[in-house]
Amino acid sequence: MMQPSMTLSAAAIALGIAALFAVWPIVGKITGAHGLWVAILVTIGSLLGTVIIGGSKLTSAEPPTFYTALILVGAGVLNGIGMYFYPMFVGHAYIPTAAFIATVVIGMVVMSVLFTTLVAVIAPSAGLPFPAPQVFVGVLVMCAGIYITAN
């Protein structure tokens, strides 16, 4: 399967989405609210934002099968666990906010490549292409960035 290339407009959209995601942990720390409240309120806000922006499209979208919905809810539970811990550490006075957020973001990229590779090997019928060799070079560079940030 041929892997699509990243266009300049797709990269710009990705950076815009990254900016939207990067705001809440910093605002949460500035407010001084407990990490659990930050996680809950941001999750509620995320639901509202999604429904407000995409609600009209929801009625025309085909609903997922029960099995698909179950898998997605399970993924949401895992995300919720991450949402519990993330603001706890972002808001901690002894953890450098910018370095921690950068490490999480880089870690998400690394984990995405690892999970994609795992799925491509274990379940080729899922249709995920095996990542290109240069992706693995990028992962190594990111791991080096995590190491440098941590030290």
Side-chain angles (χ1 to χ4, degrees), residues 94-126:
Y94 300 106
I95 294 179
T97 305
F100 185 79
I101 292 171
T103 302
V104 169
V105 170
I106 292 169
M108 288 173 64
V109 173
V110 170
M111 292 300 151
S112 294
V113 171
L114 294 177
F115 292 150
T116 300
T117 304
L118 186 66
V119 170
V121 169
I122 292 175
S125 62

mmCIF file of all heavy atoms in Angstrom, residues 94-126:
data_model
loop_
_atom_site.group_PDB
_atom_site.id
_atom_site.type_symbol
_atom_site.label_atom_id
_atom_site.label_comp_id
_atom_site.label_asym_id
_atom_site.label_seq_id
_atom_site.Cartn_x
_atom_site.Cartn_y
_atom_site.Cartn_z
ATOM 1 N N TYR A 94 6.991 21.070 40.572
ATOM 2 C CA TYR A 94 8.386 20.652 40.405
ATOM 3 C C TYR A 94 8.689 20.040 39.038
ATOM 4 O O TYR A 94 9.779 19.538 38.825
ATOM 5 C CB TYR A 94 8.783 19.690 41.524
ATOM 6 C CG TYR A 94 8.651 20.323 42.877
ATOM 7 C CD1 TYR A 94 7.614 19.972 43.734
ATOM 8 C CD2 TYR A 94 9.544 21.315 43.292
ATOM 9 C CE1 TYR A 94 7.480 20.569 44.977
ATOM 10 C CE2 TYR A 94 9.418 21.926 44.517
ATOM 11 C CZ TYR A 94 8.390 21.551 45.362
ATOM 12 O OH TYR A 94 8.263 22.162 46.582
ATOM 13 N N ILE A 95 7.712 20.068 38.143
ATOM 14 C CA ILE A 95 7.918 19.520 36.805
ATOM 15 C C ILE A 95 7.893 20.676 35.811
ATOM 16 O O ILE A 95 6.933 21.452 35.792
ATOM 17 C CB ILE A 95 6.848 18.468 36.457
ATOM 18 C CG1 ILE A 95 7.009 17.254 37.372
ATOM 19 C CG2 ILE A 95 6.921 18.072 34.994
ATOM 20 C CD1 ILE A 95 6.004 16.161 37.159
ATOM 21 N N PRO A 96 8.933 20.820 34.983
ATOM 22 C CA PRO A 96 8.951 21.917 33.996
ATOM 23 C C PRO A 96 7.876 21.693 32.929
ATOM 24 O O PRO A 96 7.932 20.715 32.182
ATOM 25 C CB PRO A 96 10.359 21.852 33.412
ATOM 26 C CG PRO A 96 10.841 20.463 33.687
ATOM 27 C CD PRO A 96 10.130 19.985 34.911
ATOM 28 N N THR A 97 6.914 22.589 32.864
ATOM 29 C CA THR A 97 5.744 22.426 32.008
ATOM 30 C C THR A 97 6.102 22.224 30.536
ATOM 31 O O THR A 97 5.658 21.260 29.911
ATOM 32 C CB THR A 97 4.804 23.639 32.150
ATOM 33 O OG1 THR A 97 4.486 23.792 33.538
ATOM 34 C CG2 THR A 97 3.533 23.454 31.366
ATOM 35 N N ALA A 98 6.891 23.125 29.976
ATOM 36 C CA ALA A 98 7.199 23.052 28.539
ATOM 37 C C ALA A 98 7.934 21.762 28.192
ATOM 38 O O ALA A 98 7.598 21.096 27.202
ATOM 39 C CB ALA A 98 8.015 24.262 28.109
ATOM 40 N N ALA A 99 8.918 21.378 28.981
ATOM 41 C CA ALA A 99 9.675 20.151 28.710
ATOM 42 C C ALA A 99 8.780 18.921 28.846
ATOM 43 O O ALA A 99 8.878 17.978 28.054
ATOM 44 C CB ALA A 99 10.869 20.046 29.649
ATOM 45 N N PHE A 100 7.893 18.930 29.844
ATOM 46 C CA PHE A 100 6.998 17.793 30.044
ATOM 47 C C PHE A 100 6.033 17.657 28.868
ATOM 48 O O PHE A 100 5.839 16.565 28.332
ATOM 49 C CB PHE A 100 6.232 17.940 31.362
ATOM 50 C CG PHE A 100 5.377 16.751 31.682
ATOM 51 C CD1 PHE A 100 5.933 15.599 32.215
ATOM 52 C CD2 PHE A 100 4.009 16.771 31.436
ATOM 53 C CE1 PHE A 100 5.140 14.484 32.501
ATOM 54 C CE2 PHE A 100 3.218 15.672 31.719
ATOM 55 C CZ PHE A 100 3.786 14.529 32.257
ATOM 56 N N ILE A 101 5.420 18.785 28.448
ATOM 57 C CA ILE A 101 4.486 18.747 27.318
ATOM 58 C C ILE A 101 5.204 18.283 26.053
ATOM 59 O O ILE A 101 4.692 17.440 25.316
ATOM 60 C CB ILE A 101 3.827 20.123 27.106
ATOM 61 C CG1 ILE A 101 2.884 20.438 28.279
ATOM 62 C CG2 ILE A 101 3.065 20.171 25.785
ATOM 63 C CD1 ILE A 101 2.350 21.857 28.282
ATOM 64 N N ALA A 102 6.404 18.810 25.820
ATOM 65 C CA ALA A 102 7.169 18.395 24.631
ATOM 66 C C ALA A 102 7.472 16.908 24.668
ATOM 67 O O ALA A 102 7.372 16.214 23.651
ATOM 68 C CB ALA A 102 8.464 19.198 24.535
ATOM 69 N N THR A 103 7.813 16.395 25.846
ATOM 70 C CA THR A 103 8.111 14.968 25.975
ATOM 71 C C THR A 103 6.872 14.123 25.703
ATOM 72 O O THR A 103 6.946 13.092 25.021
ATOM 73 C CB THR A 103 8.684 14.667 27.366
ATOM 74 O OG1 THR A 103 9.853 15.462 27.564
ATOM 75 C CG2 THR A 103 9.044 13.202 27.522
ATOM 76 N N VAL A 104 5.721 14.556 26.204
ATOM 77 C CA VAL A 104 4.476 13.823 25.947
ATOM 78 C C VAL A 104 4.153 13.830 24.450
ATOM 79 O O VAL A 104 3.823 12.793 23.869
ATOM 80 C CB VAL A 104 3.300 14.403 26.767
ATOM 81 C CG1 VAL A 104 1.969 13.831 26.306
ATOM 82 C CG2 VAL A 104 3.500 14.134 28.250
ATOM 83 N N VAL A 105 4.273 14.991 23.819
ATOM 84 C CA VAL A 105 3.953 15.097 22.398
ATOM 85 C C VAL A 105 4.901 14.233 21.564
ATOM 86 O O VAL A 105 4.468 13.483 20.684
ATOM 87 C CB VAL A 105 3.999 16.576 21.936
ATOM 88 C CG1 VAL A 105 3.905 16.683 20.436
ATOM 89 C CG2 VAL A 105 2.883 17.359 22.608
ATOM 90 N N ILE A 106 6.191 14.321 21.849
ATOM 91 C CA ILE A 106 7.164 13.490 21.127
ATOM 92 C C ILE A 106 6.887 12.014 21.402
ATOM 93 O O ILE A 106 6.921 11.182 20.497
ATOM 94 C CB ILE A 106 8.605 13.873 21.518
ATOM 95 C CG1 ILE A 106 8.931 15.277 20.997
ATOM 96 C CG2 ILE A 106 9.609 12.854 20.976
ATOM 97 C CD1 ILE A 106 10.218 15.859 21.558
ATOM 98 N N GLY A 107 6.567 11.714 22.656
ATOM 99 C CA GLY A 107 6.241 10.330 23.018
ATOM 100 C C GLY A 107 5.026 9.821 22.267
ATOM 101 O O GLY A 107 4.972 8.655 21.858
ATOM 102 N N MET A 108 4.032 10.685 22.035
ATOM 103 C CA MET A 108 2.851 10.280 21.273
ATOM 104 C C MET A 108 3.228 9.926 19.838
ATOM 105 O O MET A 108 2.706 8.960 19.273
ATOM 106 C CB MET A 108 1.799 11.392 21.299
ATOM 107 C CG MET A 108 1.118 11.541 22.638
ATOM 108 S SD MET A 108 0.023 12.971 22.735
ATOM 109 C CE MET A 108 -1.223 12.566 21.539
ATOM 110 N N VAL A 109 4.136 10.702 19.261
ATOM 111 C CA VAL A 109 4.588 10.416 17.897
ATOM 112 C C VAL A 109 5.306 9.071 17.862
ATOM 113 O O VAL A 109 5.035 8.226 17.002
ATOM 114 C CB VAL A 109 5.501 11.541 17.367
ATOM 115 C CG1 VAL A 109 6.109 11.168 16.023
ATOM 116 C CG2 VAL A 109 4.740 12.851 17.272
ATOM 117 N N VAL A 110 6.200 8.865 18.808
ATOM 118 C CA VAL A 110 6.955 7.607 18.874
ATOM 119 C C VAL A 110 5.994 6.433 19.065
ATOM 120 O O VAL A 110 6.083 5.414 18.365
ATOM 121 C CB VAL A 110 8.005 7.662 20.003
ATOM 122 C CG1 VAL A 110 8.627 6.293 20.239
ATOM 123 C CG2 VAL A 110 9.079 8.706 19.684
ATOM 124 N N MET A 111 5.057 6.568 20.006
ATOM 125 C CA MET A 111 4.107 5.479 20.260
ATOM 126 C C MET A 111 3.209 5.227 19.051
ATOM 127 O O MET A 111 2.875 4.080 18.758
ATOM 128 C CB MET A 111 3.240 5.802 21.487
ATOM 129 C CG MET A 111 3.991 5.812 22.780
ATOM 130 S SD MET A 111 4.732 4.191 23.095
ATOM 131 C CE MET A 111 6.135 4.679 24.030
ATOM 132 N N SER A 112 2.832 6.285 18.327
ATOM 133 C CA SER A 112 2.006 6.108 17.123
ATOM 134 C C SER A 112 2.727 5.259 16.084
ATOM 135 O O SER A 112 2.134 4.369 15.475
ATOM 136 C CB SER A 112 1.647 7.466 16.517
ATOM 137 O OG SER A 112 0.829 8.188 17.382
ATOM 138 N N VAL A 113 4.011 5.529 15.904
ATOM 139 C CA VAL A 113 4.805 4.744 14.945
ATOM 140 C C VAL A 113 4.909 3.296 15.430
ATOM 141 O O VAL A 113 4.730 2.354 14.647
ATOM 142 C CB VAL A 113 6.202 5.367 14.736
ATOM 143 C CG1 VAL A 113 7.102 4.430 13.925
ATOM 144 C CG2 VAL A 113 6.078 6.716 14.053
ATOM 145 N N LEU A 114 5.191 3.110 16.709
ATOM 146 C CA LEU A 114 5.316 1.744 17.242
ATOM 147 C C LEU A 114 4.000 0.981 17.132
ATOM 148 O O LEU A 114 3.978 -0.175 16.714
ATOM 149 C CB LEU A 114 5.805 1.783 18.689
ATOM 150 C CG LEU A 114 7.224 2.309 18.893
ATOM 151 C CD1 LEU A 114 7.567 2.365 20.379
ATOM 152 C CD2 LEU A 114 8.246 1.465 18.145
ATOM 153 N N PHE A 115 2.869 1.636 17.489
ATOM 154 C CA PHE A 115 1.568 0.967 17.409
ATOM 155 C C PHE A 115 1.176 0.677 15.962
ATOM 156 O O PHE A 115 0.626 -0.379 15.663
ATOM 157 C CB PHE A 115 0.487 1.787 18.104
ATOM 158 C CG PHE A 115 0.644 1.864 19.602
ATOM 159 C CD1 PHE A 115 0.204 2.972 20.298
ATOM 160 C CD2 PHE A 115 1.241 0.840 20.328
ATOM 161 C CE1 PHE A 115 0.346 3.062 21.680
ATOM 162 C CE2 PHE A 115 1.391 0.919 21.698
ATOM 163 C CZ PHE A 115 0.942 2.029 22.377
ATOM 164 N N THR A 116 1.468 1.615 15.055
ATOM 165 C CA THR A 116 1.176 1.391 13.635
ATOM 166 C C THR A 116 1.972 0.203 13.113
ATOM 167 O O THR A 116 1.441 -0.652 12.394
ATOM 168 C CB THR A 116 1.498 2.652 12.805
ATOM 169 O OG1 THR A 116 0.700 3.730 13.275
ATOM 170 C CG2 THR A 116 1.232 2.430 11.331
ATOM 171 N N THR A 117 3.248 0.143 13.491
ATOM 172 C CA THR A 117 4.099 -0.973 13.076
ATOM 173 C C THR A 117 3.564 -2.287 13.637
ATOM 174 O O THR A 117 3.474 -3.289 12.917
ATOM 175 C CB THR A 117 5.554 -0.748 13.546
ATOM 176 O OG1 THR A 117 6.007 0.505 13.028
ATOM 177 C CG2 THR A 117 6.460 -1.858 13.080
ATOM 178 N N LEU A 118 3.185 -2.274 14.896
ATOM 179 C CA LEU A 118 2.656 -3.477 15.541
ATOM 180 C C LEU A 118 1.395 -3.962 14.835
ATOM 181 O O LEU A 118 1.261 -5.148 14.529
ATOM 182 C CB LEU A 118 2.378 -3.179 17.026
ATOM 183 C CG LEU A 118 1.951 -4.350 17.884
ATOM 184 C CD1 LEU A 118 3.093 -5.358 18.014
ATOM 185 C CD2 LEU A 118 1.547 -3.853 19.267
ATOM 186 N N VAL A 119 0.479 -3.042 14.538
ATOM 187 C CA VAL A 119 -0.762 -3.422 13.847
ATOM 188 C C VAL A 119 -0.466 -3.912 12.436
ATOM 189 O O VAL A 119 -1.048 -4.894 11.977
ATOM 190 C CB VAL A 119 -1.767 -2.242 13.833
ATOM 191 C CG1 VAL A 119 -2.944 -2.541 12.919
ATOM 192 C CG2 VAL A 119 -2.247 -1.936 15.243
ATOM 193 N N ALA A 120 0.468 -3.247 11.750
ATOM 194 C CA ALA A 120 0.812 -3.667 10.377
ATOM 195 C C ALA A 120 1.385 -5.077 10.357
ATOM 196 O O ALA A 120 1.151 -5.830 9.409
ATOM 197 C CB ALA A 120 1.809 -2.679 9.766
ATOM 198 N N VAL A 121 2.108 -5.448 11.403
ATOM 199 C CA VAL A 121 2.708 -6.782 11.466
ATOM 200 C C VAL A 121 1.691 -7.821 11.944
ATOM 201 O O VAL A 121 1.548 -8.888 11.354
ATOM 202 C CB VAL A 121 3.950 -6.774 12.402
ATOM 203 C CG1 VAL A 121 4.437 -8.180 12.693
ATOM 204 C CG2 VAL A 121 5.063 -5.932 11.789
ATOM 205 N N ILE A 122 0.957 -7.503 13.016
ATOM 206 C CA ILE A 122 0.040 -8.477 13.627
ATOM 207 C C ILE A 122 -1.254 -8.626 12.832
ATOM 208 O O ILE A 122 -1.786 -9.717 12.696
ATOM 209 C CB ILE A 122 -0.269 -8.076 15.087
ATOM 210 C CG1 ILE A 122 0.983 -8.221 15.934
ATOM 211 C CG2 ILE A 122 -1.398 -8.905 15.662
ATOM 212 C CD1 ILE A 122 0.835 -7.743 17.354
ATOM 213 N N ALA A 123 -1.795 -7.499 12.337
ATOM 214 C CA ALA A 123 -3.081 -7.543 11.635
ATOM 215 C C ALA A 123 -2.993 -6.814 10.298
ATOM 216 O O ALA A 123 -3.525 -5.721 10.136
ATOM 217 C CB ALA A 123 -4.163 -6.912 12.510
ATOM 218 N N PRO A 124 -2.311 -7.416 9.317
ATOM 219 C CA PRO A 124 -2.156 -6.742 8.026
ATOM 220 C C PRO A 124 -3.487 -6.440 7.340
ATOM 221 O O PRO A 124 -3.576 -5.520 6.539
ATOM 222 C CB PRO A 124 -1.315 -7.711 7.201
ATOM 223 C CG PRO A 124 -1.285 -8.986 7.950
ATOM 224 C CD PRO A 124 -1.682 -8.724 9.357
ATOM 225 N N SER A 125 -4.544 -7.172 7.693
ATOM 226 C CA SER A 125 -5.853 -6.929 7.081
ATOM 227 C C SER A 125 -6.447 -5.583 7.505
ATOM 228 O O SER A 125 -7.391 -5.103 6.885
ATOM 229 C CB SER A 125 -6.822 -8.055 7.431
ATOM 230 O OG SER A 125 -7.030 -8.100 8.828
ATOM 231 N N ALA A 126 -5.884 -4.957 8.557
ATOM 232 C CA ALA A 126 -6.380 -3.650 9.006
ATOM 233 C C ALA A 126 -6.063 -2.561 7.988
ATOM 234 O O ALA A 126 -6.662 -1.485 8.016
ATOM 235 C CB ALA A 126 -5.779 -3.295 10.360
#
